[in-house]
Amino acid sequence: MLVPVVSSLARQYPDVHITVLSRRFARSLFEGLAGNVGFMEADLKNDYHGIHGLNALYRRLKAKHFTAVADMHGVLRSKYLSWRFRIDRNPVKSINKHRKGKRRLAAKTGKVMEQQPTSFQNYADVLARLGYPVKLEFHSIFGEGRGDLSLLPKIIGEKGAGERWIGIAPFAAHEGKILPLETMEQVIATLSERHPDARFFLFGGGDKEKAQFETWCDRYPRCVNASAQSAGLLQELIIMSHLDVMVSMDSANMHLASLTGTPVVSVWGATHPYAGFMGWGQTEENAIQIDLPCRPCSVYGNKPCHRGDFACMRQISADTIIKKVEGCLS
């Protein structure tokens, strides 16, 4: 969710050089974003583990002679690094995550259903406090176009004239954010029947995902395991940029597809768009959710279900999702 903010900053302040510090996986998201954006990776488990590792990372950062530091993470490690920079009298501003409002949103009793500031706005607020106010303007990590399909494996091929490409990302990090797989299979089966020229690209990289995707690819010949056929995140992003629509849980794939300018039909269970984590450029009109007095029960989806039956996901019908997808296709 930081990508649109960094892109806006880079283009509105072309004389400012920006370095994004993150884990290795994020390199594909920022490299090539703009000429004045650089990327610096840090392996916190191996190279910079513990307090001694953080001190070593600080020395590496200090050698870059940054004139301002934006802590967009607000966790113990980034707070420690920010403290070190402040001791050396560097301008540092940290993110306000509005935790109080989010706690009220997810409370079991006394719930307050109010839209919280989005992460995009929270990031932009940090920059404004550093003296770099930005207007958030962003379309895609591929600019105004789409990714180069010639960089993909031959099995993906070109997109045929009139062919529809539909993305399916049925998994998430927590059970409260995952639609029952039988419901998602019904979505694929019905759309395959109604749109015989459509291709379905499945996204998800774990062992459980791989086994499920192999089953679906065997049953539905128009399905492709996009994550297995892709050599890394960049190739997945290229595929996403050519999708007509992505169906995703409240997960990383919702955000990745959003960064390519692709419309997303997002499915929400334990979590809620009011927490501020809707994908860039997406609308609540395409967010599928049901009203339950216990929703949301969690900001991130990692809390036990209050009811014990995950009704927030199990009561969502395949027909509801299909209608949203066909609305995007039309």
Side-chain angles (χ1 to χ4, degrees):
M1 297 184 78
L2 183 61
V3 173
V5 183
V6 171
S7 176
S8 301
L9 173 67
R11 299 182 189 284
Q12 292 165 32
Y13 297 89
D15 295 331
V16 173
H17 182 75
I18 303 152
T19 298
V20 177
L21 174 70
S22 189
R23 301 175 193 267
R24 177 179 298 180
F25 82 93
R27 182 177 292 275
S28 297
L29 299 174
F30 293 96
E31 279 192 339
L33 198 61
N36 56 333
V37 176
F39 184 83
M40 183 175 172
E41 67 182 56
D43 185 342
L44 297 178
K45 289 185 178 180
N46 298 306
D47 298 335
Y48 302 107
H49 181 70
I51 193 69
H52 295 295
L54 288 177
N55 286 332
L57 179 56
Y58 172 74
R59 290 192 294 270
R60 182 182 168 201
L61 293 168
K62 185 65 177 175
K64 299 289 185 179
H65 302 291
F66 296 120
T67 56
V69 176
D71 174 12
M72 301 297 201
H73 206 22
V75 297
L76 284 176
R77 292 185 182 96
S78 64
K79 288 179 179 179
Y80 178 79
L81 292 172
S82 297
W83 173 71
R84 290 295 308 269
F85 275 110
R86 287 190 177 99
I87 287 179
D88 285 341
R89 300 182 182 279
N90 294 109
V92 179
K93 297 298 179 183
S94 299
I95 189 170
N96 178 356
K97 294 183 177 181
H98 299 277
R99 287 189 172 95
K100 184 176 181 180
K102 290 174 181 176
R103 283 197 299 269
R104 290 176 175 176
L105 181 66
K108 194 169 185 178
T109 59
K111 190 181 295 292
V112 180
M113 294 296 294
E114 290 182 351
Q115 175 69 57
Q116 299 302 301
T118 68
S119 291
F120 307 111
Q121 188 58 55
N122 291 340
Y123 294 145
D125 288 345
V126 177
L127 296 177
R129 294 199 302 273
L130 274 176
Y132 299 96
V134 295
K135 180 180 180 182
L136 297 180
E137 297 176 320
F138 178 80
H139 174 65
S140 165
I141 61 171
F142 299 111
E144 295 301 318
R146 297 179 177 181
D148 185 357
L149 285 175
S150 68
L151 299 177
L152 300 179
K154 291 184 179 179
I155 191 173
I156 302 297
E158 294 292 326
K159 187 175 184 179
E163 187 179 39
R164 302 292 189 146
W165 283 15
I166 301 172
I168 304 288
F171 292 94
H174 305 290
E175 187 177 1
K177 298 166 68 172
I178 301 176
L179 192 74
L181 294 178
E182 56 269 24
T183 304
M184 187 58 80
E185 181 170 357
Q186 186 179 346
V187 171
I188 296 173
T190 303
L191 289 173
S192 297
E193 182 178 347
R194 292 184 184 178
H195 305 274
D197 293 333
R199 294 177 71 189
F200 298 84
F201 293 86
L202 310 177
F203 295 90
D207 291 338
K208 181 180 179 181
E209 289 91 330
K210 181 179 179 181
Q212 184 62 60
F213 291 170
E214 287 178 354
T215 299
W216 285 348
C217 289
D218 288 341
R219 291 177 183 170
Y220 308 100
R222 300 288 290 176
C223 280
V224 177
N225 186 341
S227 295
Q229 297 297 337
S230 301
L233 179 58
L234 178 59
Q235 290 194 358
E236 289 193 64
L237 290 167
I238 292 173
I239 297 172
M240 289 181 184
S241 73
H242 289 269
L243 297 177
D244 293 280
V245 60
M246 167 71 94
V247 181
S248 175
M249 307 302 102
D250 168 24
S251 68
N253 282 306
M254 172 184 70
H255 293 291
L256 294 174
S258 299
L259 295 181
T260 68
T262 292
V264 178
V265 172
S266 54
V267 183
W268 301 73
T271 56
H272 197 286
Y274 276 10
F277 299 117
M278 180 72 80
W280 173 260
Q282 306 300 333
T283 66
E284 200 167 331
E285 180 182 353
N286 283 335
I288 295 175
Q289 51 189 331
I290 61 173
D291 289 329
L292 289 172
C294 55
R295 280 195 67 239
C297 62
S298 173
V299 174
Y300 303 108
N302 57 342
K303 300 293 179 64
C305 175
H306 292 171
R307 294 171 47 121
D309 61 355
F310 295 101
C312 55
M313 280 297 190
R314 296 189 178 278
Q315 291 184 15
I316 293 175
S317 70
D319 285 342
T320 301
I321 300 172
I322 291 165
K323 288 177 182 177
K324 289 290 186 183
V325 170
E326 292 186 325
C328 291
L329 294 177
S330 63

